Structures are given as C-alpha cells and as structure tokens.
Amino acid sequence: MVLPPRPLFLCLEGLDGTGKSTQCELLVSWLERLGRKVVFARDPGSTGLGLEIRRLLLEYKGNMATGCEMALFFAARAQMLEEVIRPALKEGRDVVLDRYLLSTIAYQGYGAGLDVDRIWQAGLFAASDLLPQLILVLDLAVNVSMGRLNGIRDRMESRGNAYFDSVRNGFLQEASKNPETIRIIPAEGDRLTVHSRIRQEICNAFNE
Ligand code: TYD
C-alpha cells in the first residue's frame, strides 16, 4: 500500500464519546510510521486565540444564541486555518484534524436548527474554501456514545439525547449526500479494530 507523496488533509468527525481523540492519535502515529510528517489540530483550539474561543464555547454560563455559537466556531477555525493548517500543507505535511466544518453542520445545523445550506456557504467562506480531502465520521448509537462520557459534561455535552440524535442523523445524511469525501466508520469494537477500519478507508481513498 502506497499513499501519495502529496500532503493529505484528513479529518475525523463524530459525536462526543465516539473515540475520536484516541483514533486521531492512532492515525497520526500510523502516518508517522509510514515516514510522513504530520500536523495534528483540534477544532476548536490549536491556536492561542482558538483556545480562548474554545473556553467560551465550552464554559460560558449564560445563554448563547446559536448564531453566536456558529460564528465563534467559524472564528476559531479561521484562525487555525491561517496559523496551522495552511502552513503545514504548504510545507508538505499531512494534516489530521479532530473536527472541522462538518461538526458545525451537524451540531448547529441538524442539532440546533440553523439552515444547513447556509452554514455550508458561510462556513466555506470562513474556511477560505479549504476542506479536508477525506472526512471520516465515527458512528455510534447515541446512548452508547453518551454512556462513554464520564465526569462533568461541558456546555455542549450537557444537551439531551434528542439533540444528539439529530446531530448523528446530520452526520449520516451529509455522508450519504457526499459519499466521495465523507465516509462513515462504525465505531463499535476495540480501538485497534476501529483504527484498522480507518486505515482501510484511507487506503481505499488514496492508494496509488
Ligand atoms: P471537544 O471537547 O473538542 O469535544 P470532542 O472531544 O468530543 O471533540 O468539544 C467540542 C464540542 O463542540 C463538542 O461537543 C462538539 C462541539 N462542536 C460544535 O458544536 N460545532 C463545531 O463546529 C465544532 C467544531 C464542535
């Protein structure tokens, strides 16, 4: 199996509790073992400004309008794009992201009711039309993924299961609309089983 020499721009998505962070780590290690240079980033976050915005998004105690929430995610992402993603791709490094614009579509669109087409338009503008080549959505039933969250839930995680059902449905619908770039990865099973599904999907997409 040979991956192309050009930099890969990959993103893992999915509900909270689907094991994204663990799978991002395994994916980065695998790419590095193949001799590739990899930059990992977490959306929102990964820049000084992005971390401040992330804190607001996860910890703000007052009421936050969904449009404000969306705009804050866009703001953090725009900063990350300029500071982290674009320079990495320019230097020939792969980029692995823990979430990106599809999360805004699923959470603020399907979950919270903002118009999905308009989020795509505004989100692409905020992200300078730069989208991952491949988005892998870790998919798990809501009661299972929520059951995996332990400890105190943050502002986003404390929403009810009906909200997360709509978010999950959003990921699934968007994948069926864009099967070339958005692929569903069943997230049940142990971490190495899920990791091998991810590798397989990447190989299918990029093997040359
Ligand atoms: P985070 O702790 O990064 O969650 P996880 O580890 O599950 O990725 O918190 C990000 C939260 O913000 C998570 O609940 C998903 C949500 N989110 C949105 O609602 N819209 C977005 O555009 C993004 C990027 C995240």
Side-chain angles (χ1 to χ4, degrees), residues 76-112:
R77 191 168 301 137
Q79 188 68 23
M80 179 173 81
L81 190 71
E82 290 313 314
E83 264 188 55
V84 181
I85 300 177
R86 223 190 269 290
L89 294 173
K90 213 168 151 196
E91 287 166 13
R93 293 169 195 268
D94 293 339
V95 173
V96 171
L97 293 182
D98 185 338
R99 300 193 183 280
Y100 198 61
L101 175 53
L102 188 59
S103 276
T104 322
I105 302 294
Y107 283 80
Q108 282 66 50
Y110 289 88

PDB file of all heavy atoms in Angstrom, residues 76-112:
ATOM      1  N   ALA A  76     -12.731  30.555  15.425  1.00  0.00           N
ATOM      2  CA  ALA A  76     -11.616  29.710  15.884  1.00  0.00           C
ATOM      3  C   ALA A  76     -11.003  28.964  14.695  1.00  0.00           C
ATOM      4  O   ALA A  76      -9.783  28.821  14.571  1.00  0.00           O
ATOM      5  CB  ALA A  76     -12.109  28.713  16.936  1.00  0.00           C
ATOM      6  N   ARG A  77     -11.868  28.502  13.795  1.00  0.00           N
ATOM      7  CA  ARG A  77     -11.411  27.717  12.642  1.00  0.00           C
ATOM      8  C   ARG A  77     -10.604  28.586  11.670  1.00  0.00           C
ATOM      9  O   ARG A  77      -9.581  28.154  11.139  1.00  0.00           O
ATOM     10  CB  ARG A  77     -12.638  27.109  11.941  1.00  0.00           C
ATOM     11  CG  ARG A  77     -12.324  26.078  10.899  1.00  0.00           C
ATOM     12  CD  ARG A  77     -13.604  25.363  10.500  1.00  0.00           C
ATOM     13  NE  ARG A  77     -14.236  24.727  11.637  1.00  0.00           N
ATOM     14  CZ  ARG A  77     -15.561  24.755  11.890  1.00  0.00           C
ATOM     15  NH1 ARG A  77     -16.391  25.358  11.075  1.00  0.00           N
ATOM     16  NH2 ARG A  77     -16.038  24.160  12.960  1.00  0.00           N
ATOM     17  N   ALA A  78     -11.083  29.809  11.439  1.00  0.00           N
ATOM     18  CA  ALA A  78     -10.378  30.706  10.506  1.00  0.00           C
ATOM     19  C   ALA A  78      -8.960  30.971  11.010  1.00  0.00           C
ATOM     20  O   ALA A  78      -7.994  31.007  10.228  1.00  0.00           O
ATOM     21  CB  ALA A  78     -11.155  32.012  10.363  1.00  0.00           C
ATOM     22  N   GLN A  79      -8.829  31.133  12.324  1.00  0.00           N
ATOM     23  CA  GLN A  79      -7.510  31.374  12.907  1.00  0.00           C
ATOM     24  C   GLN A  79      -6.614  30.144  12.749  1.00  0.00           C
ATOM     25  O   GLN A  79      -5.443  30.240  12.375  1.00  0.00           O
ATOM     26  CB  GLN A  79      -7.672  31.739  14.397  1.00  0.00           C
ATOM     27  CG  GLN A  79      -6.405  32.194  15.063  1.00  0.00           C
ATOM     28  CD  GLN A  79      -5.900  33.541  14.535  1.00  0.00           C
ATOM     29  OE1 GLN A  79      -6.676  34.332  13.985  1.00  0.00           O
ATOM     30  NE2 GLN A  79      -4.619  33.790  14.697  1.00  0.00           N
ATOM     31  N   MET A  80      -7.193  28.987  13.021  1.00  0.00           N
ATOM     32  CA  MET A  80      -6.439  27.730  12.912  1.00  0.00           C
ATOM     33  C   MET A  80      -5.999  27.485  11.463  1.00  0.00           C
ATOM     34  O   MET A  80      -4.902  26.983  11.210  1.00  0.00           O
ATOM     35  CB  MET A  80      -7.335  26.581  13.385  1.00  0.00           C
ATOM     36  CG  MET A  80      -6.701  25.227  13.312  1.00  0.00           C
ATOM     37  SD  MET A  80      -7.741  23.977  14.082  1.00  0.00           S
ATOM     38  CE  MET A  80      -8.891  23.646  12.771  1.00  0.00           C
ATOM     39  N   LEU A  81      -6.861  27.890  10.555  1.00  0.00           N
ATOM     40  CA  LEU A  81      -6.540  27.713   9.137  1.00  0.00           C
ATOM     41  C   LEU A  81      -5.279  28.494   8.762  1.00  0.00           C
ATOM     42  O   LEU A  81      -4.378  27.972   8.114  1.00  0.00           O
ATOM     43  CB  LEU A  81      -7.737  28.197   8.314  1.00  0.00           C
ATOM     44  CG  LEU A  81      -7.710  27.883   6.848  1.00  0.00           C
ATOM     45  CD1 LEU A  81      -7.928  26.398   6.637  1.00  0.00           C
ATOM     46  CD2 LEU A  81      -8.790  28.662   6.135  1.00  0.00           C
ATOM     47  N   GLU A  82      -5.245  29.756   9.209  1.00  0.00           N
ATOM     48  CA  GLU A  82      -4.100  30.598   8.849  1.00  0.00           C
ATOM     49  C   GLU A  82      -2.840  30.219   9.604  1.00  0.00           C
ATOM     50  O   GLU A  82      -1.748  30.259   9.063  1.00  0.00           O
ATOM     51  CB  GLU A  82      -4.418  32.081   9.112  1.00  0.00           C
ATOM     52  CG  GLU A  82      -5.445  32.667   8.163  1.00  0.00           C
ATOM     53  CD  GLU A  82      -5.167  32.338   6.691  1.00  0.00           C
ATOM     54  OE1 GLU A  82      -4.014  32.465   6.240  1.00  0.00           O
ATOM     55  OE2 GLU A  82      -6.111  31.913   5.998  1.00  0.00           O
ATOM     56  N   GLU A  83      -3.010  29.876  10.907  1.00  0.00           N
ATOM     57  CA  GLU A  83      -1.820  29.640  11.746  1.00  0.00           C
ATOM     58  C   GLU A  83      -1.274  28.233  11.625  1.00  0.00           C
ATOM     59  O   GLU A  83      -0.083  28.015  11.809  1.00  0.00           O
ATOM     60  CB  GLU A  83      -2.179  29.868  13.226  1.00  0.00           C
ATOM     61  CG  GLU A  83      -1.846  31.229  13.733  1.00  0.00           C
ATOM     62  CD  GLU A  83      -2.036  31.327  15.233  1.00  0.00           C
ATOM     63  OE1 GLU A  83      -1.464  30.524  15.998  1.00  0.00           O
ATOM     64  OE2 GLU A  83      -2.787  32.245  15.649  1.00  0.00           O
ATOM     65  N   VAL A  84      -2.153  27.266  11.398  1.00  0.00           N
ATOM     66  CA  VAL A  84      -1.721  25.865  11.497  1.00  0.00           C
ATOM     67  C   VAL A  84      -1.880  25.108  10.180  1.00  0.00           C
ATOM     68  O   VAL A  84      -0.909  24.542   9.656  1.00  0.00           O
ATOM     69  CB  VAL A  84      -2.518  25.128  12.620  1.00  0.00           C
ATOM     70  CG1 VAL A  84      -2.049  23.687  12.748  1.00  0.00           C
ATOM     71  CG2 VAL A  84      -2.404  25.863  13.942  1.00  0.00           C
ATOM     72  N   ILE A  85      -3.089  25.102   9.636  1.00  0.00           N
ATOM     73  CA  ILE A  85      -3.371  24.182   8.522  1.00  0.00           C
ATOM     74  C   ILE A  85      -2.646  24.596   7.245  1.00  0.00           C
ATOM     75  O   ILE A  85      -1.932  23.805   6.623  1.00  0.00           O
ATOM     76  CB  ILE A  85      -4.893  24.094   8.257  1.00  0.00           C
ATOM     77  CG1 ILE A  85      -5.610  23.589   9.504  1.00  0.00           C
ATOM     78  CG2 ILE A  85      -5.175  23.188   7.058  1.00  0.00           C
ATOM     79  CD1 ILE A  85      -7.107  23.523   9.387  1.00  0.00           C
ATOM     80  N   ARG A  86      -2.836  25.860   6.857  1.00  0.00           N
ATOM     81  CA  ARG A  86      -2.241  26.296   5.589  1.00  0.00           C
ATOM     82  C   ARG A  86      -0.712  26.167   5.598  1.00  0.00           C
ATOM     83  O   ARG A  86      -0.138  25.595   4.664  1.00  0.00           O
ATOM     84  CB  ARG A  86      -2.669  27.742   5.289  1.00  0.00           C
ATOM     85  CG  ARG A  86      -3.052  27.926   3.846  1.00  0.00           C
ATOM     86  CD  ARG A  86      -3.213  29.389   3.546  1.00  0.00           C
ATOM     87  NE  ARG A  86      -4.558  29.887   3.732  1.00  0.00           N
ATOM     88  CZ  ARG A  86      -5.577  29.562   2.937  1.00  0.00           C
ATOM     89  NH1 ARG A  86      -5.424  28.696   1.959  1.00  0.00           N
ATOM     90  NH2 ARG A  86      -6.767  30.082   3.137  1.00  0.00           N
ATOM     91  N   PRO A  87      -0.036  26.648   6.664  1.00  0.00           N
ATOM     92  CA  PRO A  87       1.424  26.493   6.677  1.00  0.00           C
ATOM     93  C   PRO A  87       1.852  25.028   6.620  1.00  0.00           C
ATOM     94  O   PRO A  87       2.812  24.684   5.919  1.00  0.00           O
ATOM     95  CB  PRO A  87       1.851  27.129   8.012  1.00  0.00           C
ATOM     96  CG  PRO A  87       0.733  28.029   8.400  1.00  0.00           C
ATOM     97  CD  PRO A  87      -0.513  27.448   7.812  1.00  0.00           C
ATOM     98  N   ALA A  88       1.119  24.152   7.330  1.00  0.00           N
ATOM     99  CA  ALA A  88       1.504  22.732   7.335  1.00  0.00           C
ATOM    100  C   ALA A  88       1.398  22.146   5.935  1.00  0.00           C
ATOM    101  O   ALA A  88       2.326  21.486   5.448  1.00  0.00           O
ATOM    102  CB  ALA A  88       0.613  21.954   8.304  1.00  0.00           C
ATOM    103  N   LEU A  89       0.286  22.393   5.261  1.00  0.00           N
ATOM    104  CA  LEU A  89       0.108  21.833   3.917  1.00  0.00           C
ATOM    105  C   LEU A  89       1.162  22.388   2.958  1.00  0.00           C
ATOM    106  O   LEU A  89       1.698  21.676   2.117  1.00  0.00           O
ATOM    107  CB  LEU A  89      -1.309  22.125   3.395  1.00  0.00           C
ATOM    108  CG  LEU A  89      -2.463  21.426   4.157  1.00  0.00           C
ATOM    109  CD1 LEU A  89      -3.815  21.927   3.664  1.00  0.00           C
ATOM    110  CD2 LEU A  89      -2.381  19.905   4.003  1.00  0.00           C
ATOM    111  N   LYS A  90       1.464  23.684   3.158  1.00  0.00           N
ATOM    112  CA  LYS A  90       2.450  24.329   2.297  1.00  0.00           C
ATOM    113  C   LYS A  90       3.841  23.692   2.459  1.00  0.00           C
ATOM    114  O   LYS A  90       4.602  23.561   1.509  1.00  0.00           O
ATOM    115  CB  LYS A  90       2.518  25.816   2.659  1.00  0.00           C
ATOM    116  CG  LYS A  90       2.818  26.714   1.484  1.00  0.00           C
ATOM    117  CD  LYS A  90       2.589  28.153   1.839  1.00  0.00           C
ATOM    118  CE  LYS A  90       3.509  29.026   1.016  1.00  0.00           C
ATOM    119  NZ  LYS A  90       3.603  30.370   1.575  1.00  0.00           N
ATOM    120  N   GLU A  91       4.131  23.273   3.703  1.00  0.00           N
ATOM    121  CA  GLU A  91       5.428  22.615   3.961  1.00  0.00           C
ATOM    122  C   GLU A  91       5.414  21.130   3.584  1.00  0.00           C
ATOM    123  O   GLU A  91       6.358  20.403   3.871  1.00  0.00           O
ATOM    124  CB  GLU A  91       5.777  22.712   5.450  1.00  0.00           C
ATOM    125  CG  GLU A  91       6.198  24.091   5.892  1.00  0.00           C
ATOM    126  CD  GLU A  91       6.189  24.219   7.423  1.00  0.00           C
ATOM    127  OE1 GLU A  91       6.093  23.186   8.130  1.00  0.00           O
ATOM    128  OE2 GLU A  91       6.255  25.366   7.896  1.00  0.00           O
ATOM    129  N   GLY A  92       4.311  20.676   3.036  1.00  0.00           N
ATOM    130  CA  GLY A  92       4.240  19.277   2.593  1.00  0.00           C
ATOM    131  C   GLY A  92       3.863  18.304   3.685  1.00  0.00           C
ATOM    132  O   GLY A  92       4.054  17.095   3.542  1.00  0.00           O
ATOM    133  N   ARG A  93       3.340  18.828   4.810  1.00  0.00           N
ATOM    134  CA  ARG A  93       2.944  17.919   5.895  1.00  0.00           C
ATOM    135  C   ARG A  93       1.495  17.487   5.744  1.00  0.00           C
ATOM    136  O   ARG A  93       0.670  18.268   5.261  1.00  0.00           O
ATOM    137  CB  ARG A  93       3.089  18.627   7.252  1.00  0.00           C
ATOM    138  CG  ARG A  93       4.508  18.929   7.593  1.00  0.00           C
ATOM    139  CD  ARG A  93       4.579  19.864   8.797  1.00  0.00           C
ATOM    140  NE  ARG A  93       5.908  20.421   8.885  1.00  0.00           N
ATOM    141  CZ  ARG A  93       6.884  19.883   9.608  1.00  0.00           C
ATOM    142  NH1 ARG A  93       6.654  18.816  10.330  1.00  0.00           N
ATOM    143  NH2 ARG A  93       8.082  20.422   9.609  1.00  0.00           N
ATOM    144  N   ASP A  94       1.198  16.275   6.219  1.00  0.00           N
ATOM    145  CA  ASP A  94      -0.201  15.860   6.321  1.00  0.00           C
ATOM    146  C   ASP A  94      -0.848  16.624   7.468  1.00  0.00           C
ATOM    147  O   ASP A  94      -0.173  16.960   8.451  1.00  0.00           O
ATOM    148  CB  ASP A  94      -0.299  14.361   6.661  1.00  0.00           C
ATOM    149  CG  ASP A  94       0.201  13.475   5.532  1.00  0.00           C
ATOM    150  OD1 ASP A  94       0.252  13.944   4.382  1.00  0.00           O
ATOM    151  OD2 ASP A  94       0.548  12.313   5.821  1.00  0.00           O
ATOM    152  N   VAL A  95      -2.128  16.851   7.354  1.00  0.00           N
ATOM    153  CA  VAL A  95      -2.874  17.467   8.452  1.00  0.00           C
ATOM    154  C   VAL A  95      -3.983  16.508   8.874  1.00  0.00           C
ATOM    155  O   VAL A  95      -4.755  16.031   8.044  1.00  0.00           O
ATOM    156  CB  VAL A  95      -3.473  18.829   8.029  1.00  0.00           C
ATOM    157  CG1 VAL A  95      -4.389  19.373   9.118  1.00  0.00           C
ATOM    158  CG2 VAL A  95      -2.353  19.835   7.742  1.00  0.00           C
ATOM    159  N   VAL A  96      -4.020  16.213  10.177  1.00  0.00           N
ATOM    160  CA  VAL A  96      -5.100  15.404  10.745  1.00  0.00           C
ATOM    161  C   VAL A  96      -5.881  16.291  11.702  1.00  0.00           C
ATOM    162  O   VAL A  96      -5.309  16.863  12.632  1.00  0.00           O
ATOM    163  CB  VAL A  96      -4.542  14.178  11.511  1.00  0.00           C
ATOM    164  CG1 VAL A  96      -5.653  13.466  12.268  1.00  0.00           C
ATOM    165  CG2 VAL A  96      -3.851  13.225  10.543  1.00  0.00           C
ATOM    166  N   LEU A  97      -7.168  16.405  11.457  1.00  0.00           N
ATOM    167  CA  LEU A  97      -7.994  17.278  12.300  1.00  0.00           C
ATOM    168  C   LEU A  97      -8.970  16.467  13.133  1.00  0.00           C
ATOM    169  O   LEU A  97      -9.572  15.512  12.661  1.00  0.00           O
ATOM    170  CB  LEU A  97      -8.824  18.220  11.430  1.00  0.00           C
ATOM    171  CG  LEU A  97      -8.104  19.279  10.618  1.00  0.00           C
ATOM    172  CD1 LEU A  97      -9.138  20.117   9.877  1.00  0.00           C
ATOM    173  CD2 LEU A  97      -7.252  20.156  11.513  1.00  0.00           C
ATOM    174  N   ASP A  98      -9.125  16.900  14.386  1.00  0.00           N
ATOM    175  CA  ASP A  98     -10.178  16.402  15.259  1.00  0.00           C
ATOM    176  C   ASP A  98     -11.318  17.423  15.137  1.00  0.00           C
ATOM    177  O   ASP A  98     -11.277  18.466  15.766  1.00  0.00           O
ATOM    178  CB  ASP A  98      -9.632  16.332  16.690  1.00  0.00           C
ATOM    179  CG  ASP A  98     -10.616  15.716  17.679  1.00  0.00           C
ATOM    180  OD1 ASP A  98     -11.830  15.727  17.400  1.00  0.00           O
ATOM    181  OD2 ASP A  98     -10.159  15.247  18.741  1.00  0.00           O
ATOM    182  N   ARG A  99     -12.257  17.155  14.243  1.00  0.00           N
ATOM    183  CA  ARG A  99     -13.405  18.015  13.891  1.00  0.00           C
ATOM    184  C   ARG A  99     -13.011  19.139  12.935  1.00  0.00           C
ATOM    185  O   ARG A  99     -11.869  19.586  12.900  1.00  0.00           O
ATOM    186  CB  ARG A  99     -14.068  18.660  15.117  1.00  0.00           C
ATOM    187  CG  ARG A  99     -14.630  17.678  16.131  1.00  0.00           C
ATOM    188  CD  ARG A  99     -15.526  18.433  17.112  1.00  0.00           C
ATOM    189  NE  ARG A  99     -16.042  17.564  18.146  1.00  0.00           N
ATOM    190  CZ  ARG A  99     -17.082  16.752  17.982  1.00  0.00           C
ATOM    191  NH1 ARG A  99     -17.693  16.716  16.821  1.00  0.00           N
ATOM    192  NH2 ARG A  99     -17.501  15.971  18.955  1.00  0.00           N
ATOM    193  N   TYR A 100     -14.048  19.641  12.205  1.00  0.00           N
ATOM    194  CA  TYR A 100     -13.894  20.783  11.294  1.00  0.00           C
ATOM    195  C   TYR A 100     -15.305  21.226  10.920  1.00  0.00           C
ATOM    196  O   TYR A 100     -16.244  21.041  11.713  1.00  0.00           O
ATOM    197  CB  TYR A 100     -13.078  20.342  10.064  1.00  0.00           C
ATOM    198  CG  TYR A 100     -12.457  21.451   9.243  1.00  0.00           C
ATOM    199  CD1 TYR A 100     -11.517  22.326   9.785  1.00  0.00           C
ATOM    200  CD2 TYR A 100     -12.783  21.616   7.893  1.00  0.00           C
ATOM    201  CE1 TYR A 100     -10.932  23.318   9.001  1.00  0.00           C
ATOM    202  CE2 TYR A 100     -12.199  22.605   7.107  1.00  0.00           C
ATOM    203  CZ  TYR A 100     -11.276  23.450   7.672  1.00  0.00           C
ATOM    204  OH  TYR A 100     -10.695  24.431   6.901  1.00  0.00           O
ATOM    205  N   LEU A 101     -15.478  21.765   9.721  1.00  0.00           N
ATOM    206  CA  LEU A 101     -16.766  22.373   9.372  1.00  0.00           C
ATOM    207  C   LEU A 101     -17.958  21.415   9.467  1.00  0.00           C
ATOM    208  O   LEU A 101     -19.072  21.831   9.794  1.00  0.00           O
ATOM    209  CB  LEU A 101     -16.647  22.970   7.958  1.00  0.00           C
ATOM    210  CG  LEU A 101     -17.887  23.571   7.319  1.00  0.00           C
ATOM    211  CD1 LEU A 101     -18.553  24.601   8.218  1.00  0.00           C
ATOM    212  CD2 LEU A 101     -17.518  24.208   5.970  1.00  0.00           C
ATOM    213  N   LEU A 102     -17.743  20.129   9.207  1.00  0.00           N
ATOM    214  CA  LEU A 102     -18.883  19.206   9.272  1.00  0.00           C
ATOM    215  C   LEU A 102     -19.502  19.165  10.672  1.00  0.00           C
ATOM    216  O   LEU A 102     -20.693  18.920  10.821  1.00  0.00           O
ATOM    217  CB  LEU A 102     -18.459  17.802   8.815  1.00  0.00           C
ATOM    218  CG  LEU A 102     -19.596  16.787   8.663  1.00  0.00           C
ATOM    219  CD1 LEU A 102     -20.648  17.256   7.646  1.00  0.00           C
ATOM    220  CD2 LEU A 102     -19.055  15.417   8.269  1.00  0.00           C
ATOM    221  N   SER A 103     -18.692  19.420  11.708  1.00  0.00           N
ATOM    222  CA  SER A 103     -19.268  19.487  13.065  1.00  0.00           C
ATOM    223  C   SER A 103     -20.261  20.642  13.169  1.00  0.00           C
ATOM    224  O   SER A 103     -21.306  20.504  13.808  1.00  0.00           O
ATOM    225  CB  SER A 103     -18.170  19.682  14.124  1.00  0.00           C
ATOM    226  OG  SER A 103     -17.588  18.454  14.483  1.00  0.00           O
ATOM    227  N   THR A 104     -19.938  21.771  12.571  1.00  0.00           N
ATOM    228  CA  THR A 104     -20.874  22.906  12.643  1.00  0.00           C
ATOM    229  C   THR A 104     -22.170  22.561  11.912  1.00  0.00           C
ATOM    230  O   THR A 104     -23.267  22.904  12.358  1.00  0.00           O
ATOM    231  CB  THR A 104     -20.257  24.187  12.029  1.00  0.00           C
ATOM    232  OG1 THR A 104     -18.877  24.246  12.377  1.00  0.00           O
ATOM    233  CG2 THR A 104     -20.955  25.426  12.526  1.00  0.00           C
ATOM    234  N   ILE A 105     -22.021  21.876  10.776  1.00  0.00           N
ATOM    235  CA  ILE A 105     -23.212  21.456  10.025  1.00  0.00           C
ATOM    236  C   ILE A 105     -24.074  20.545  10.901  1.00  0.00           C
ATOM    237  O   ILE A 105     -25.292  20.713  11.002  1.00  0.00           O
ATOM    238  CB  ILE A 105     -22.793  20.703   8.728  1.00  0.00           C
ATOM    239  CG1 ILE A 105     -21.909  21.578   7.831  1.00  0.00           C
ATOM    240  CG2 ILE A 105     -24.007  20.162   7.989  1.00  0.00           C
ATOM    241  CD1 ILE A 105     -22.577  22.785   7.259  1.00  0.00           C
ATOM    242  N   ALA A 106     -23.422  19.555  11.541  1.00  0.00           N
ATOM    243  CA  ALA A 106     -24.177  18.563  12.314  1.00  0.00           C
ATOM    244  C   ALA A 106     -24.739  19.156  13.613  1.00  0.00           C
ATOM    245  O   ALA A 106     -25.919  18.950  13.928  1.00  0.00           O
ATOM    246  CB  ALA A 106     -23.277  17.360  12.616  1.00  0.00           C
ATOM    247  N   TYR A 107     -23.920  19.908  14.340  1.00  0.00           N
ATOM    248  CA  TYR A 107     -24.357  20.392  15.674  1.00  0.00           C
ATOM    249  C   TYR A 107     -25.233  21.645  15.579  1.00  0.00           C
ATOM    250  O   TYR A 107     -26.316  21.684  16.145  1.00  0.00           O
ATOM    251  CB  TYR A 107     -23.144  20.684  16.569  1.00  0.00           C
ATOM    252  CG  TYR A 107     -22.482  19.454  17.151  1.00  0.00           C
ATOM    253  CD1 TYR A 107     -21.604  18.681  16.392  1.00  0.00           C
ATOM    254  CD2 TYR A 107     -22.714  19.058  18.461  1.00  0.00           C
ATOM    255  CE1 TYR A 107     -20.996  17.554  16.914  1.00  0.00           C
ATOM    256  CE2 TYR A 107     -22.103  17.923  19.000  1.00  0.00           C
ATOM    257  CZ  TYR A 107     -21.246  17.181  18.225  1.00  0.00           C
ATOM    258  OH  TYR A 107     -20.639  16.057  18.752  1.00  0.00           O
ATOM    259  N   GLN A 108     -24.735  22.680  14.888  1.00  0.00           N
ATOM    260  CA  GLN A 108     -25.514  23.923  14.852  1.00  0.00           C
ATOM    261  C   GLN A 108     -26.610  23.854  13.775  1.00  0.00           C
ATOM    262  O   GLN A 108     -27.618  24.547  13.869  1.00  0.00           O
ATOM    263  CB  GLN A 108     -24.598  25.135  14.590  1.00  0.00           C
ATOM    264  CG  GLN A 108     -23.815  25.613  15.815  1.00  0.00           C
ATOM    265  CD  GLN A 108     -22.783  24.609  16.307  1.00  0.00           C
ATOM    266  OE1 GLN A 108     -21.981  24.093  15.544  1.00  0.00           O
ATOM    267  NE2 GLN A 108     -22.826  24.312  17.599  1.00  0.00           N
ATOM    268  N   GLY A 109     -26.417  22.999  12.761  1.00  0.00           N
ATOM    269  CA  GLY A 109     -27.427  22.841  11.714  1.00  0.00           C
ATOM    270  C   GLY A 109     -28.456  21.790  12.115  1.00  0.00           C
ATOM    271  O   GLY A 109     -29.521  22.109  12.630  1.00  0.00           O
ATOM    272  N   TYR A 110     -28.134  20.533  11.912  1.00  0.00           N
ATOM    273  CA  TYR A 110     -29.092  19.461  12.207  1.00  0.00           C
ATOM    274  C   TYR A 110     -29.482  19.452  13.683  1.00  0.00           C
ATOM    275  O   TYR A 110     -30.642  19.209  14.010  1.00  0.00           O
ATOM    276  CB  TYR A 110     -28.504  18.106  11.821  1.00  0.00           C
ATOM    277  CG  TYR A 110     -28.411  17.892  10.329  1.00  0.00           C
ATOM    278  CD1 TYR A 110     -27.285  18.314   9.612  1.00  0.00           C
ATOM    279  CD2 TYR A 110     -29.434  17.274   9.621  1.00  0.00           C
ATOM    280  CE1 TYR A 110     -27.184  18.116   8.243  1.00  0.00           C
ATOM    281  CE2 TYR A 110     -29.339  17.073   8.243  1.00  0.00           C
ATOM    282  CZ  TYR A 110     -28.217  17.497   7.565  1.00  0.00           C
ATOM    283  OH  TYR A 110     -28.126  17.300   6.203  1.00  0.00           O
ATOM    284  N   GLY A 111     -28.525  19.717  14.581  1.00  0.00           N
ATOM    285  CA  GLY A 111     -28.837  19.658  16.008  1.00  0.00           C
ATOM    286  C   GLY A 111     -29.644  20.851  16.483  1.00  0.00           C
ATOM    287  O   GLY A 111     -30.704  20.709  17.092  1.00  0.00           O
ATOM    288  N   ALA A 112     -29.150  22.053  16.185  1.00  0.00           N
ATOM    289  CA  ALA A 112     -29.757  23.255  16.771  1.00  0.00           C
ATOM    290  C   ALA A 112     -30.659  24.004  15.794  1.00  0.00           C
ATOM    291  O   ALA A 112     -31.264  25.007  16.164  1.00  0.00           O
ATOM    292  CB  ALA A 112     -28.657  24.182  17.295  1.00  0.00           C
TER     293      ALA A 112
END
